Amino acid sequence: MENKNYLFPDFDKLIFGGDYNPEQWRHTPEIWDEDMRLMKLAHWNEATLGVFSWAELEPQEGVYDFSVPDAIFEKAEKNGLKIILATPSGAKPRWMAEKYPETMRTADDRHRALYGRRHNHCFSSPVYREKIANINRLLAKRYAHSPALLCWHISNEVNGECHCEHCRRAFVEFLRKKYDNDIEKLNLQWWTRFWSHRYDNFEQAEPPSSIGENAVHGLTIDWKRFVTAQTADFMKHEIAAIKEYSQKPITTNLMGFFTGIDYRELAKTVDFVSWDNYPNWELPWGDVGQASWIGMTHDCMRSLKRKNFLLMESTPSLVNWKDINKLARPGKMRISSLQAIAHGSDSVQYFQWRKSRGSSEKLHGAVVDHYGKEDTRVFSEVAALGEELEKLSAVAGTEVISKAAILYDWDTIWALQDMQGMQKNGKKYGEATHLHYGAFHRRGINVDLIGRKDSYDEYDVIVAPMMYICEEETAGRLASFVRQGGTLVGTYAMAQVNENDLCHLGGWPCGVLMDVFGLRAEELDTLYPEESVKINAYGEEYTAKDYCEILKVKDATVLGTYGSEFYKNTPCFTVNEYGKGKAYYVAFRDKSGTFTDKLIGEISADKKLPTAINGKEIPKGVTAKIREGAGEKYLFLLNFSGKEQTMELDGEYTVITTGEKISSAYLPLNGGLVLKA
Ligand code: GLA
Ligand code: ZN
């Protein structure tokens, strides 16, 4: 058990389970015993209880009914099932909205919503806060000492914003604090003399609105930060109530690259991250790109705390909310689940155990169908995976260790969203990130997705695609990373604005970065979608799309030039030796990815970044990932290529489930192997 970072002190296996809503079946409680029987057959060791169950727990204000969770906890204890207990704030009872309308959310047009749906509460409402703290306390007190309780799950996929007066007041206080109660500081950072939008005092501040202020970028980005801060504050409020009675770890389920909340900030409130993964598998053009994108999302979630995470939700078969709800083909759910583990998850969990009979999610995939029995394809695949995960227990607590990082910031997402310029709608920051990620991923090189304010110490390579927001301080930290021997890759649109979206004066990329890269980016050309520009580099011809920046090179070595347009023959790809390190600058967006692949390949070789399989080719569409710890190394090979594959390995490995020794791997369509080195 040494050298392993288990998420739970008292659980050393992979978690296998998911959302369980017994309250929907309280009129037929015999089904709960059938659930226990079936869960055993499915090899479930965990159930997530209580998501959206407030109206069951507190049917009327101050009237409580814990009979459902009591019954399930008792059964869980008897059956050795662990419970992840959710707090119910994701949806509120009807009485609350009736009696306390302020608990409902107010939209940006300042209209308050009617009761309905979920995720519809105001994060600032004192009544809502009082009510949630109360019910959380009761839950914590009641179940803290159950041996079945594994951890706490706060709310569900927290998201959204509220524009009510309570929230506006909290925003005013947030601004006061940020700008030291000095309105002129705010006026300067928000550049409010533009269009005569000056503020005389903080009281005048209003959240951005479709019917009001929405053009002041300093305001819009501060509002998004406020929404994050207020959500985190609400989360802390919920957690404090739990902690009064229970010290079990706390998580909340995130949504990957959801843009509404800065997940780096939110993650600080919990002990570990969990997330809900619903990929678009079975695409007509194949799943290679999607597999890499999902890999990147797992890595982003893991990097939030640089710690293993839980896959809190995934579907055993299909979802019901996409435009096209296709079935996962046989084997796909298994490799999709193993992919999460390969990237640092210590669980495979589903939404949901049993299909609900009515309402909007009745056709969403579940382990148990309306049919109700175990002889279905989906149930069999789930049970088989459960059995396999039991044999993979030793993987739990081992880690994904990365020497390369990509900078990925919610601040930049928001500023690029607001920016009027470049391609106005859709700057494709995610695509730019994935372009670089894919080149590492393809080679089986582990990558973290870190924030610009995180530590750079553990990395040899940092890629900063479209790093539009960069304050002088961050520029200085990047400079010292390179000075000490790191390799940095910057691209077009780098370090143009400060943290308040105010343009840097004196040249881009800002401050010391011009020395680090040995150049200045002077103008940025945006192309029409059907246009492209030729690139000459590495003795080959490549193609740029979307963006071409024009550079004034000072000290950098020119490695590539534009091959067309009025900037033909001017530099578009450079490297600069700075201190003990190197800084590459890519001034254009690579159209096909072949240029980026070559660049990342060279850098990875130069910095000797560890790869999953040394010196052997990984077939396109096969994920190869390493998890390690306690002196053991596990190699995951997952075939998303859409056809069968055979590949040479860099030595002899043991197939964990069978004990077979292999030095080359055969992977059928949608097949996967977990090997021990
Ligand atoms: C989200 C929610 C679940 C459920 C699923 C359906 O992840 O957390 O409650 O609605 O989506 O895919
Ligand atoms: Zn509000």
Side-chain angles (χ1 to χ4, degrees):
M1 302 254 298
E2 302 95 70
N3 284 328
K4 284 217 187 170
N5 272 313
Y6 294 111
L7 292 175
F8 311 98
D10 49 356
F11 198 81
D12 61 358
K13 296 192 271 276
L14 295 167
I15 291 164
F16 189 57
D19 275 33
Y20 180 39
N21 295 100
E23 65 279 354
Q24 289 180 20
W25 305 90
R26 69 184 300 160
H27 56 293
T28 52
E30 34 325 327
I31 215 169
W32 300 339
D33 286 322
E34 176 66 355
D35 286 336
M36 292 299 136
R37 183 187 76 84
L38 289 170
M39 281 182 193
K40 225 173 237 171
L41 287 180
H43 297 264
W44 266 35
N45 55 28
E46 179 275 338
T48 308
L49 205 61
V51 185
F52 309 126
S53 65
W54 201 337
E56 298 299 313
L57 302 171
E58 192 177 359
Q60 293 304 323
E61 187 175 15
V63 176
Y64 305 103
D65 177 358
F66 294 99
S67 54
V68 176
D70 279 357
I72 301 301
F73 262 93
E74 199 192 311
K75 289 180 200 301
E77 285 168 21
K78 239 185 251 157
N79 289 281
L81 188 72
K82 290 286 178 192
I83 299 287
I84 294 184
L85 188 54
T87 66
S89 59
K92 69 170 89 58
R94 201 176 288 275
W95 59 258
M96 195 174 326
E98 268 168 21
K99 180 150 184 212
Y100 308 105
E102 65 156 89
T103 60
M104 291 304 296
R105 223 168 251 185
T106 298
D108 91 324
D109 62 1
R110 308 304 190 253
H111 279 100
R112 184 187 279 156
L114 299 180
Y115 179 77
R117 301 182 303 209
R118 57 179 179 175
H119 306 299
N120 50 11
H121 60 275
C122 165
F123 294 106
S124 310
S125 153
V127 183
Y128 199 70
R129 286 187 174 218
E130 182 198 313
K131 296 289 172 200
I132 191 65
N134 175 60
I135 194 76
N136 285 6
R137 239 176 246 128
L138 292 174
L139 283 170
K141 201 168 164 184
R142 201 172 184 93
Y143 302 110
H145 302 294
S146 165
L149 180 68
L150 187 65
C151 72
W152 293 94
H153 170 305
I154 304 297
S155 201
N156 188 73
E157 296 190 339
V158 291
N159 70 81
E161 48 188 66
C162 176
H163 298 247
C164 75
E165 186 54 22
H166 283 300
C167 288
R168 192 189 77 82
R169 287 246 38 98
F171 183 46
V172 166
E173 292 316 311
F174 171 89
L175 295 174
R176 247 189 232 290
K177 199 163 159 218
K178 174 167 177 188
Y179 295 102
D180 306 321
N181 208 13
D182 178 350
I183 198 67
E184 290 316 324
K185 273 195 189 167
L186 176 145
N187 277 319
L188 189 61
Q189 289 300 312
W190 289 10
W191 208 250
T192 56
R193 285 188 165 78
F194 175 77
W195 288 355
S196 258
H197 286 204
R198 268 196 72 246
Y199 290 82
D200 300 317
N201 58 63
F202 283 92
E203 295 302 318
Q204 294 169 331
E206 272 282 345
S209 167
S210 49
I211 55 164
E213 187 71 274
N214 52 37
V216 175
H217 289 171
L219 162 70
T220 47
I221 197 160
D222 269 344
W223 168 252
K224 283 168 182 145
R225 289 191 185 118
F226 164 77
V227 169
T228 291
Q230 199 67 350
T231 306
D233 188 65
F234 187 85
M235 187 77 83
K236 285 186 204 153
H237 177 79
E238 282 211 46
I239 292 170
I242 299 284
K243 292 269 184 201
E244 284 176 33
Y245 297 97
S246 169
Q247 299 313 311
K248 291 277 162 121
I250 297 208
T251 190
T252 191
N253 52 342
L254 308 180
M255 296 179 279
F257 290 120
F258 173 68
T259 60
I261 293 171
D262 183 340
Y263 274 164
R264 264 180 235 300
E265 289 303 314
L266 195 68
K268 289 179 187 159
T269 64
V270 293
D271 295 306
F272 62 86
V273 157
S274 58
W275 85 283
D276 302 343
N277 179 29
Y278 295 101
N280 297 314
W281 294 136
E282 319 303 346
L283 295 163
W285 50 86
D287 291 337
V288 177
Q290 180 70 177
S292 169
W293 181 272
I294 296 298
M296 177 168 89
T297 322
H298 285 306
D299 286 345
C300 180
M301 295 292 98
R302 186 194 64 247
S303 305
L304 291 175
K305 289 190 91 77
R306 297 199 204 175
K307 192 175 182 176
N308 289 358
F309 59 93
L310 295 189
L311 174 66
M312 188 60 83
E313 292 180 24
S314 61
T315 176
S317 54
L318 44 54
V319 296
N320 68 329
W321 47 263
K322 295 195 178 180
D323 287 344
I324 307 290
N325 296 294
K326 198 169 171 178
L327 290 179
R329 270 37 188 169
K332 190 50 82 48
M333 182 278 287
R334 172 177 173 264
I335 57 168
S336 181
S337 303
L338 290 175
Q339 184 190 24
I341 297 175
H343 287 262
S345 174
D346 275 351
S347 79
V348 172
Q349 291 161 274
Y350 303 106
F351 178 85
Q352 52 191 330
W353 168 250
R354 188 183 276 281
K355 281 187 184 172
S356 52
R357 192 164 175 201
S359 219
S360 64
E361 289 185 337
K362 60 184 179 293
L363 298 182
H364 192 289
V367 179
V368 182
D369 207 335
H370 297 123
Y371 163 61
K373 301 207 180 98
E374 62 267 39
D375 55 333
T376 64
R377 175 179 79 94
V378 170
F379 192 95
S380 311
E381 285 198 31
V382 167
L385 178 61
E387 201 176 349
E388 182 175 1
L389 294 186
E390 284 169 359
K391 297 184 184 143
L392 300 181
S393 289
V395 174
T398 60
E399 294 170 297
V400 176
I401 298 167
S402 312
K403 290 299 194 192
I406 299 179
L407 296 188
Y408 184 84
D409 270 303
W410 270 263
D411 280 345
T412 292
I413 299 173
W414 296 335
L416 289 174
Q417 269 171 2
D418 281 346
M419 185 223 277
Q420 307 224 16
M422 299 175 74
Q423 287 178 340
K424 191 163 152 256
N425 300 312
K427 313 289 187 307
K428 302 186 195 139
Y429 179 55
E431 186 184 310
T433 308
H434 186 245
L435 184 69
H436 297 87
Y437 178 87
F440 288 113
H441 181 71
R442 216 181 66 58
R443 294 180 163 77
I445 296 173
N446 290 344
V447 192
D448 287 349
L449 260 70
I450 62 168
R452 69 186 192 283
K453 292 183 179 163
D454 286 338
S455 158
Y456 306 150
D457 291 350
E458 289 147 52
Y459 304 106
D460 296 333
V461 176
I462 291 180
V463 184
M466 292 185 90
M467 192 194 183
Y468 178 60
I469 284 201
C470 180
E471 50 282 272
E472 302 268 353
E473 196 221 326
T474 302
R477 291 181 58 238
L478 284 173
S480 83
F481 167 76
V482 181
R483 209 176 293 123
Q484 286 159 32
T487 296
L488 173 67
V489 180
T491 77
Y492 55 93
M494 180 154 193
Q496 299 187 345
V497 298
N498 76 358
E499 70 277 18
N500 296 315
D501 210 348
L502 204 56
C503 288
H504 289 295
L505 304 178
W508 298 338
C510 76
V512 66
L513 287 178
M514 281 183 285
D515 297 332
V516 174
F517 291 106
L519 54 77
R520 183 166 70 78
E522 194 165 76
E523 288 184 275
L524 191 146
D525 192 21
T526 300
L527 308 178
Y528 287 101
E530 43 284 297
E531 290 179 323
S532 59
V533 168
K534 285 194 186 117
I535 301 295
N536 298 309
Y538 295 117
E540 307 268 341
E541 196 174 278
Y542 298 95
T543 314
K545 66 170 186 180
D546 299 342
Y547 304 123
C548 294
E549 230 175 28
I550 303 172
L551 305 178
K552 282 273 161 66
V553 171
K554 201 173 147 230
D555 306 316
T557 306
V558 176
L559 300 176
T561 53
Y562 289 113
S564 56
E565 266 307 331
F566 80 91
Y567 32 82
K568 185 173 173 173
N569 295 330
T570 70
C572 65
F573 172 42
T574 62
V575 66
N576 193 39
E577 311 256 339
Y578 183 81
K580 291 189 211 145
K582 285 182 195 167
Y584 290 85
Y585 198 87
V586 180
F588 61 93
R589 181 175 279 170
D590 179 17
K591 185 170 182 192
S592 67
T594 49
F595 167 83
T596 309
D597 193 63
K598 174 92 179 155
L599 171 65
I600 298 299
E602 296 242 316
I603 291 174
S604 306
D606 181 39
K607 299 302 282 184
K608 301 193 174 55
L609 296 180
T611 57
I613 308 175
N614 292 318
K616 302 282 177 195
E617 191 55 27
I618 300 166
K620 187 164 182 254
V622 173
T623 290
K625 295 289 292 179
I626 297 278
R627 273 184 72 159
E628 56 195 295
E632 305 288 4
K633 238 182 182 174
Y634 299 97
L635 172 63
F636 288 72
L637 297 176
L638 307 168
N639 183 7
F640 293 98
S641 72
K643 50 180 188 260
E644 58 177 12
Q645 298 284 356
T646 307
M647 60 193 283
E648 287 302 308
L649 305 176
D650 56 349
E652 194 180 72
Y653 288 83
T654 310
V655 181
I656 299 180
T657 42
T658 62
E660 190 194 346
K661 305 244 185 272
I662 58 170
S663 52
S664 78
Y666 167 71
L667 300 167
L669 169 73
N670 292 335
L673 286 169
V674 186
L675 308 172
K676 200 169 144 174

